[in-house]
Amino acid sequence: MKKLVIVESPSKARTIGYILGKDYAILATGGHVRDLPRNELGVNIEDGFCPTYVVYPGKEKVIHRIAQRAKKSSEVYLATDPDREGEAISWHVMKAANIKKGKRIAFHEITPREVKEAITKPRKIDLDLVNSQQARRILDRLVGYKISPILWKKIRGRLSAGRVQSVALKFIVDRDREIQNFIPDEYWEVFAKLKNSQSEEFEAKFCDKLESEAEAKKLTRKLKRTKFSVREVEKKEVERWPPPPHRTSTLEQEAWYKLGFMAHRTMSIAQKLYEGLPLEDGKSVGLITYMRTDSSKVSSLAVKEARSYIEENFGSPFLPCKPRFFRSKVKGAQEAHEAIRPTKVPRKPENILPFVDQDSYKLYNLIWVKMMQSQMAPARSENTVVSIDAGGYMFQARGMVVKFPGFLTLTEIPPDKKLPKLEEGEVLTLVGLSLKKCFTQPPPHYTEATLIQELEYKGIGRPSTYAPILSTLRKRYVMMKGGKLHHLPIGEEVADFLCRYFPDIMNAKFTADMEESLDDIASGKKEWVEVISSFYLPLEKNIGEALGEKA
């Protein structure tokens, strides 16, 4: 009698099937199988916020097949993703298919070692994780289904509010207004082209900014009659250490900056890399660890693999004396997860290039490089700052020379900016002066990358939420212009309305505190009904006030 393993996707099923062999039957759910009903609230507010779940249309056959196979199987393993969402999918499958003794297994990478080890260490469904996901779903449903109809009535149809989405919209609107209201100030910079005693030219910049062209020209007239001399030469060796391996938000940011990928595209490609792609032997292989994570930790085995590869391919100077281990600085990070890394660190990007599409190769390369760099030696440079006196007016010249490239060998080594040899007290020859008119700049428009960075910094949302939030915003409230997010008029109108009547929903700290409460539910520190109740009571009052206002 075969054992049954239940996963979410067909590609993941194929990979695990190759690993476990003919003694196991692998069935895919195709994602979630149950949810709150689509056309009604589905939450009994009067009865402890009890949810009503229904099977997704079209998933009845999937559930029936799982139920029939489970009855004929000696063991049933639920191998959905290793996060709260995956835990909830397993729980819903058990409920919908009436599986009494399913065993939960979880792994962060789809490799033979991890999958086979997980099979030997099954556990029960973690109801704290399920309740945390359930609480998030109910909170979002309360916001969406209670507030959205008010937007339809007061503004126009087909609008939506979201617990995290609306705060993100407010960030964009506030930034756009800050830019619109920004009044630039003019200032002038002065540059001096100088020669040392060996007639080697270099440029120095005046240390202060001047408020007007008249002031700048007045200074240049003085400087033409002034002696320039070297007051001080300061040389300093600087170490630049590599960052940790990628987590979800940093991968989404770097994929935007370097590849131009939207967040949803990045996560879609990462999902394929995680679930497995066929390589040289035709068997599917999971190429990266789980891609929805806010952790910077990696396994000791991966660190050992990386260090061995670095020593063999770059030499011992590129290998620090001790391995580097990281802890996430993200508020509320789930340190049980690993960072995003290759499942087999020595598997170079060029090894997979013949078997995958260009987008998969490019994203895998970002992940591989970041993991490898995290265990490499720091880059060292000699930075030089030369202070130059011109009759009491101070100029500075800066130089930088890379002494050892370290981890930058894998990306881009910055070009040297060399200064000629200069000695303290040395008299310099003025070759010429130049002026540059400048203006103070407003803060930049958000991009997907910088908005994700802001949300993460303020503890709003979680790795799994960033891509869908951005997709919804682009669909309804913002537009992309030159890669930057600009609010549409309807976005501004909705943000203002929500700020007026639902200040808590639009308050970044309130939303971040709610994320902490959801984390506390996941760790068993809080009861989910109490968290929802404390959220809903003031929300209900705000709803009444918004509905009482004339349209």
Side-chain angles (χ1 to χ4, degrees):
M1 186 179 289
K2 285 190 175 183
K3 300 173 183 179
L4 175 63
V5 179
I6 300 168
V7 299
E8 303 99 313
S9 72
S11 58
K12 187 174 178 180
R14 285 193 295 271
T15 306
I16 292 177
Y18 285 129
I19 292 170
L20 294 178
K22 62 182 179 179
D23 292 333
Y24 292 83
I26 320 294
L27 290 181
T29 67
H32 277 279
V33 297
R34 295 200 312 174
D35 194 14
L36 300 170
R38 186 171 183 179
N39 296 320
E40 58 182 281
L41 181 63
V43 178
N44 191 334
I45 295 169
E46 305 301 324
D47 185 21
F49 301 95
C50 181
T52 298
Y53 291 112
V54 297
V55 174
Y56 275 114
K59 289 295 179 75
E60 295 87 354
K61 290 182 179 179
V62 173
I63 291 298
H64 178 73
R65 188 181 178 198
I66 290 173
Q68 292 301 108
R69 177 70 73 159
K71 290 177 183 178
K72 300 175 183 178
S73 301
S74 59
E75 302 283 354
V76 178
Y77 296 96
L78 297 129
T80 49
D81 287 345
D83 57 7
R84 299 174 201 178
E85 205 75 19
E87 203 75 18
I89 291 175
S90 286
W91 180 77
H92 281 294
V93 168
M94 288 186 66
K95 293 291 184 181
N98 197 28
I99 298 172
K100 301 296 185 184
K101 295 183 179 179
K103 298 179 179 180
R104 176 76 166 115
I105 60 172
F107 33 80
H108 295 280
E109 56 188 76
I110 305 180
T111 59
R113 179 179 63 85
E114 284 284 322
V115 173
K116 290 176 180 178
E117 184 177 346
I119 288 283
T120 67
K121 297 178 180 179
R123 58 171 173 79
K124 294 181 179 179
I125 294 286
D126 188 329
L127 290 179
D128 289 332
L129 294 180
V130 173
N131 287 335
S132 178
Q133 189 276 342
Q134 188 166 234
R136 177 186 288 278
R137 189 73 188 94
I138 292 171
L139 286 170
D140 291 344
R141 175 57 66 100
L142 290 171
V143 172
Y145 275 56
K146 290 289 187 177
I147 300 179
S148 296
I150 300 174
L151 296 178
W152 306 339
K153 182 179 179 182
K154 301 290 184 177
I155 301 177
R156 77 177 194 202
R158 302 180 66 84
L159 298 177
S160 68
R163 189 177 54 84
V164 177
Q165 166 199 312
S166 297
V167 178
L169 174 61
K170 182 177 185 296
F171 285 170
I172 296 169
V173 171
D174 286 349
R175 174 62 60 83
D176 286 357
R177 282 175 171 163
E178 191 177 354
I179 294 168
Q180 184 178 356
N181 296 329
F182 182 82
I183 300 174
D185 290 325
E186 177 186 325
Y187 66 93
W188 289 75
E189 294 178 338
V190 179
F191 298 87
K193 183 174 284 188
L194 302 164
K195 284 197 301 189
N196 67 355
S197 56
Q198 303 299 313
S199 296
E200 297 169 305
E201 292 187 0
F202 65 99
E203 188 175 69
K205 180 181 176 182
F206 182 51
C207 294
D208 293 328
K209 294 175 181 177
L210 303 170
E211 294 183 357
S212 67
E213 183 179 14
E215 189 178 0
K217 287 183 175 179
K218 181 180 178 181
L219 175 62
T220 57
R221 288 193 292 270
K222 286 184 181 179
L223 292 173
K224 288 176 181 177
R225 304 188 299 271
T226 302
K227 181 179 77 173
F228 285 73
S229 62
V230 177
R231 173 177 284 191
E232 183 181 24
V233 178
E234 182 183 4
K235 293 181 182 289
K236 185 178 181 181
E237 188 162 293
V238 176
E239 281 190 336
R240 180 181 168 188
W241 283 88
H246 276 304
R247 54 186 191 274
T248 302
S249 65
T250 61
L251 180 62
E252 289 172 336
Q253 290 169 55
E254 188 172 26
W256 164 252
Y257 288 127
K258 293 187 176 179
L259 307 177
F261 290 176
M262 296 289 193
H264 70 90
R265 184 179 177 192
T266 297
M267 295 311 293
S268 176
I269 298 167
Q271 183 83 37
K272 290 195 300 181
L273 293 172
Y274 167 69
E275 291 180 351
L277 293 168
L279 297 186
E280 61 272 1
D281 57 2
K283 292 183 177 180
S284 289
V285 178
L287 297 177
I288 64 171
T289 54
Y290 193 53
M291 64 287 159
R292 293 187 182 93
T293 176
D294 48 18
S295 174
S296 297
K297 286 174 41 176
V298 294
S299 72
S300 56
L301 177 62
V303 170
K304 185 178 179 180
E305 283 185 348
R307 287 175 62 81
S308 296
Y309 182 93
I310 292 163
E311 188 166 28
E312 289 173 11
N313 291 272
F314 296 95
S316 55
F318 287 84
L319 189 69
C321 295
K322 296 180 180 180
R324 300 185 70 211
F325 294 95
F326 302 89
R327 287 189 65 84
S328 179
K329 296 179 180 179
V330 179
K331 190 176 181 182
Q334 306 297 304
E335 289 294 335
H337 294 227
E338 274 199 76
I340 307 169
R341 62 167 178 82
T343 54
K344 188 177 179 182
V345 175
R347 184 183 285 124
K348 297 184 291 184
E350 51 263 41
N351 295 152
I352 72 167
L353 182 56
F355 309 100
V356 302
D357 58 67
Q358 281 293 317
D359 286 353
S360 297
Y361 163 75
K362 290 175 182 177
L363 196 68
Y364 180 82
N365 183 64
L366 291 186
I367 295 166
W368 185 87
V369 166
K370 190 70 74 173
M371 173 61 203
M372 203 61 66
Q373 285 183 321
S374 72
Q375 293 300 322
M376 294 182 78
R380 296 196 307 274
S381 63
E382 183 181 76
N383 292 3
T384 303
V385 179
V386 180
S387 298
I388 297 164
D389 183 23
Y393 296 103
M394 296 304 301
F395 283 74
Q396 273 191 350
R398 293 178 177 270
M400 187 278 292
V401 177
V402 175
K403 293 294 186 182
F404 177 68
F407 75 96
L408 294 175
T409 301
L410 282 174
T411 47
E412 187 175 344
I413 301 170
D416 289 344
K417 184 183 177 183
K418 294 182 179 180
L419 289 173
K421 185 177 180 182
L422 298 165
E423 302 287 346
E424 291 184 8
E426 182 177 353
V427 176
L428 304 170
T429 302
L430 176 64
V431 178
L433 294 164
S434 60
L435 303 178
K436 183 180 179 182
K437 183 179 181 180
C438 305
F439 293 93
T440 55
Q441 295 297 310
H445 287 279
Y446 281 114
T447 63
E448 281 206 348
T450 56
L451 184 61
I452 289 169
Q453 187 178 33
E454 183 78 358
L455 291 170
E456 184 182 58
Y457 174 74
K458 293 191 174 178
I460 298 169
R462 286 295 178 259
S464 62
T465 65
Y466 298 136
I469 285 169
L470 286 163
S471 293
T472 302
L473 289 175
R474 288 198 313 274
K475 182 179 178 181
R476 292 194 174 104
Y477 298 125
V478 304
M479 64 176 176
M480 298 291 291
K481 189 187 296 184
K484 298 175 181 178
L485 297 168
H486 295 254
H487 74 265
L488 296 168
I490 189 63
E492 183 175 33
E493 188 176 358
V494 168
D496 287 345
F497 181 86
L498 293 176
C499 285
R500 180 177 180 184
Y501 291 106
F502 300 94
D504 285 344
I505 296 293
M506 302 299 281
N507 183 286
K509 185 178 186 307
F510 178 87
T511 307
D513 289 344
M514 183 55 64
E515 294 291 350
E516 281 194 41
S517 293
L518 292 171
D519 293 341
D520 288 340
I521 295 170
S523 60
K525 295 176 183 176
K526 287 185 178 180
E527 292 293 329
W528 70 273
V529 175
E530 292 178 6
V531 170
I532 293 175
S533 180
S534 66
F535 171 86
Y536 184 71
L537 290 175
L539 175 65
E540 191 174 34
K541 180 183 176 183
N542 294 149
I543 290 169
E545 292 172 352
L547 287 172
E549 183 76 11
K550 291 182 180 180

